[in-house]
Amino acid sequence: MTDKVVVGTWSETLLPFAQCVNSACAVQGDTLLMRVYKPTSLLSGDPLPAKLPFMLMLSGGGFLRGDHDLKQWPEAFTRRGFLVA
């Protein structure tokens, strides 16, 4: 990992990755979504490498407090060349 910003632009996408099959679900088949941050261009103008380092970020809080919509951390890693989910 570099401590310098190397990415010019990135994209944020919501991807479906699982469906609820438990009878306790509010709506059968509810889809769980994963937010993915991906670099789209480098500041140097060079093409993106074929493989990027990957980071999976998990929010804490024990379902009691906190917010999963904390964008500054994934964006900080994405600007340094990581694919973050």
Side-chain angles (χ1 to χ4, degrees), residues 10-85:
W10 66 89
S11 64
E12 177 186 346
T13 308
L14 284 174
L15 297 175
F17 73 96
Q19 287 189 337
C20 183
V21 294
N22 187 331
S23 61
C25 293
V27 177
Q28 198 67 357
D30 276 353
T31 302
L32 298 174
L33 300 173
M34 181 183 330
R35 185 171 280 128
V36 178
Y37 296 81
K38 179 184 176 186
T40 55
S41 73
L42 298 178
L43 286 174
S44 65
D46 295 335
L48 285 172
K51 295 181 180 179
L52 296 170
F54 174 76
M55 175 178 275
L56 178 63
M57 297 189 78
L58 301 173
S59 60
F63 300 109
L64 299 175
R65 61 177 183 215
D67 187 358
H68 74 281
D69 200 18
L70 199 62
K71 294 184 180 188
Q72 68 261 26
W73 291 109
E75 287 178 1
F77 283 100
T78 303
R79 287 192 308 261
R80 287 162 175 81
F82 280 77
L83 176 67
V84 181

